[in-house]
């Protein structure tokens, strides 16, 4: 099979590659714009900061979600994966949305809205058709998060087209909380399970495996699923209270997952660190809602440390596994995990503590974000364009 066709043969190949390329590209563009006092953003139909947030969430984040669902759902349901034509078509829709929103101002806001809102429904329809082959509540409920992501994007575009006065903020927060909620729900599955499997391989006693009380698990799932809807409600108080509860629950849950055991195993500690940023970011968001700390700092802890870290961890693990390789992170990928965690910490410190050098920390975090994405591409690109190494 030609390499170009192979890219569209499985969802993870083209979408994870696109996430890395787009993540690096938009990081470079935004950082250069900040260094040049906003140069290059003059033609936008919206505030540059809103464009930046939107493309990180509905551009980078949506690509990572698309690749994940198109890869994971066939495994959950025992169905065949999407065909080359479908993957190429839905990828084209994602790409059209990014092109319509590129900061040249060439596409009118109404046309941009129509184009950018196509990707998620087409993706969700395919996922629904696969899930219905073997419907399970724990999987079907994830469709509500795709609905939340689409609804959040709609709220953003409604303000940008002038149809509403003040819904972009709700939409951006709703989109971020959708990604955060997905990490909360799916992280519960993969983080302790992968850690437990690694422990079994080295014959760690069952008493030392990751454990979570059932009530805590249920509370974590419910609060995670509720986060985007609380954000879209427009009530800062409701979201702050829910974020505090969710963050505390996730922290309690993480405390039983034997995180220290994973030191020395980057493919595992990358998951645990991302879940730690999830708990920290939600608690910081909740505190900011009551006037303690900066909400912008909490946003970046969640967006970078939680979402950025977890997407790198899951995408790299999926690429390794689905190309027949051992689940051992290559050296560039290890540095990418570490760089992403540093970005989150630097952004938090610069926004909350070292305000005198805020601009310096902003440039540092932008550079490290790009470095993390480039390292991801260096490690994963040769794998996504090549056949499986085990010949399957």
């Amino acid at each position: 099979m030609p390499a170009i066709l192979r890219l569209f043969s499985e969802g993870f190949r083209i979408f994870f590659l696109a996430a890395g390329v787009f993540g690096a590209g938009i990081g470079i563009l935004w950082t250069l714009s900040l260094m040049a006092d906003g140069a290059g953003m003059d033609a936008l139909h919206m505030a540059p900061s809103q464009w930046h947030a939107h493309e990180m969430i509905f551009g980078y984040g949506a690509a990572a979600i698309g690749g994940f669902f198109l890869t994971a759902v066939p495994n959950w349901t025992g169905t065949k994966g999407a065909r080359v034509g479908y993957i190429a078509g839905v990828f084209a829709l994602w790409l059209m949305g990014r092109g319509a929103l590129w900061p040249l101002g060439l596409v009118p806001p109404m046309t941009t809205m129509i184009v950018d809102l196509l990707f998620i429904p087409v993706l969700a329809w395919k996922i629904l058709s696969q899930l219905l082959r073997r419907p399970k509540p724990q999987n079907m409920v994830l469709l509500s998060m795709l609905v939340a992501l689409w609804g959040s994007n709609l709220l953003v575009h409604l303000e940008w087209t002038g149809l509403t006065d003040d819904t972009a903020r709700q939409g951006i927060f709703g989109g971020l909380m959708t990604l955060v909620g997905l990490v909360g729900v799916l992280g519960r599955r993969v983080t302790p399970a992968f850690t437990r499997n690694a422990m079994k391989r080295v014959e760690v006693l069952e008493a030392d495996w990751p454990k979570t009380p059932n009530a805590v698990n249920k509370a974590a799932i419910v609060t995670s699923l509720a986060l985007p809807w609380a954000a879209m409600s427009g009530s800062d108080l409701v979201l702050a209270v829910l974020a505090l509860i969710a963050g505390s629950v996730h922290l309690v849950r993480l405390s039983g997952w034997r995180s220290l055991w994973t030191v020395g195993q980057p493919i595992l500690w990358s998951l645990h660190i991302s879940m730690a940023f999830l708990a920290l970011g939600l608690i910081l968001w909740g505190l900011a809602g009551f006037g303690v700390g900066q909400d912008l700092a909490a946003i970046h802890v969640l967006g970078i440390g939680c979402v950025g870290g977890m997407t790198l961890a899951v995408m790299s693990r999926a690429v390794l596994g689905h190309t027949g390789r051992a689940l051992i992170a290559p050296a560039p990928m290890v540095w990418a995990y570490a760089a992403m965690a540093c970005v989150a910490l630097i952004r938090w410190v610069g926004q909350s503590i070292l305000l005198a050098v805020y601009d310096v920390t902003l440039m540092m975090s932008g550079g490290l974000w790009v470095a993390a994405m480039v390292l991801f591409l260096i490690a994963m690109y040769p794998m996504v364009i090549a056949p499986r190494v085990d010949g399957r």
Side-chain angles (χ1 to χ4, degrees):
M1 179 184 292
I4 188 65
L5 285 182
R6 187 176 297 111
L7 271 178
F8 296 98
S9 64
E10 296 172 281
F12 75 89
R13 293 180 184 271
I14 187 61
F15 276 106
F16 289 174
L17 179 61
V21 172
F22 187 75
I26 201 171
I28 292 171
L29 183 62
W30 183 243
T31 303
L32 290 176
S33 176
L34 291 175
M35 292 173 65
D37 295 324
M41 300 289 167
D42 300 336
L44 287 171
H45 301 295
M46 70 292 294
S49 59
Q50 288 187 353
W51 171 84
H52 164 65
H54 181 276
E55 290 304 276
M56 284 297 188
I57 296 166
F58 302 103
Y60 170 80
I65 285 176
F68 174 81
F69 277 122
L70 288 173
T71 304
V73 173
N75 287 338
W76 297 343
T77 59
T79 57
K80 288 186 177 181
R83 295 182 177 179
V84 169
Y86 171 83
I87 294 175
V90 76
F91 172 73
L93 293 179
W94 174 86
L95 193 61
M96 287 166 57
R98 310 290 59 79
L101 277 155
W102 201 247
L104 296 176
L106 299 178
V107 184
M110 185 62 70
T111 304
T112 297
M113 178 175 75
I114 293 170
V115 170
D116 193 42
L117 288 174
L118 292 174
F119 169 65
I120 292 298
V122 174
L123 173 68
W125 182 256
K126 170 59 73 173
I127 301 308
L128 173 62
S129 68
Q130 293 175 328
L131 288 176
L132 288 175
R133 300 291 183 87
R134 192 178 295 175
K136 294 182 179 180
Q138 66 267 35
N139 294 333
M140 297 297 294
V141 74
L142 295 175
L143 288 169
S144 71
M145 302 303 267
L146 289 178
V147 173
L149 191 65
W150 187 86
S152 298
N153 199 10
L154 175 63
L155 287 175
V156 177
H157 282 290
L158 287 175
E159 180 178 330
W160 288 354
T161 56
L163 296 176
T164 60
D165 294 327
D166 187 23
T167 57
R169 179 176 178 271
Q170 293 166 239
I172 288 170
F173 284 0
L176 175 59
M177 285 301 171
T178 301
L179 300 182
V180 168
L182 279 170
V183 171
V185 173
L186 296 172
R188 177 196 71 85
R189 299 186 189 183
V190 300
T191 308
F194 292 160
T195 304
R196 187 181 304 114
N197 292 341
M199 288 179 161
K200 288 180 181 178
R201 285 194 292 269
V202 295
E203 299 182 349
V204 172
L205 295 176
E206 184 175 350
D208 295 326
W209 294 354
K211 292 181 177 63
T212 311
N214 192 44
V216 175
N217 261 333
K218 289 181 178 179
I221 294 171
V222 170
T223 54
S224 294
L225 293 172
L227 281 170
W229 307 103
M232 285 188 282
S233 74
S235 172
D236 290 343
L237 178 60
V238 169
L239 181 56
V241 171
L242 183 61
L244 275 175
I245 296 171
S248 300
V249 170
H250 283 298
L251 189 61
V252 170
R253 187 173 64 165
L254 181 62
S255 68
W257 285 356
R258 306 294 191 264
S259 298
L260 291 179
W261 186 86
T262 68
V263 174
Q265 301 181 69
I267 202 75
L268 292 177
W269 62 245
S270 56
L271 297 169
H272 285 258
I273 286 181
S274 301
M275 295 304 293
F277 276 121
L278 167 65
L280 174 63
L282 287 172
I283 291 171
L284 290 174
W285 189 302
L287 291 175
F290 290 96
V292 180
Q294 299 286 332
D295 59 353
L296 194 58
I299 287 169
H300 285 91
V301 168
L302 288 172
I304 301 169
C306 169
V307 177
M310 185 58 82
T311 50
L312 285 186
V314 170
M315 289 192 299
S316 57
R317 187 182 183 101
V319 170
L320 290 168
H322 286 276
T323 58
R325 291 171 169 83
L327 296 176
I328 300 173
M333 204 62 244
V334 177
W335 284 104
Y337 300 151
M340 189 61 74
C342 289
V343 175
L345 290 174
I346 291 170
R347 198 70 176 82
W348 175 31
V349 170
Q351 187 73 42
S352 304
I353 302 171
L354 301 179
L355 296 177
V357 291
Y358 172 72
D359 289 343
V360 175
T361 60
L362 197 61
M363 296 303 109
M364 288 177 61
S365 58
L368 280 173
W369 168 277
V370 172
M373 291 294 147
V374 171
L375 287 166
F376 167 78
L377 291 171
I378 290 172
M380 298 293 116
Y381 174 75
M383 301 182 195
V384 299
I385 65 169
R388 289 181 62 106
V389 295
D390 56 7
R392 289 172 53 188

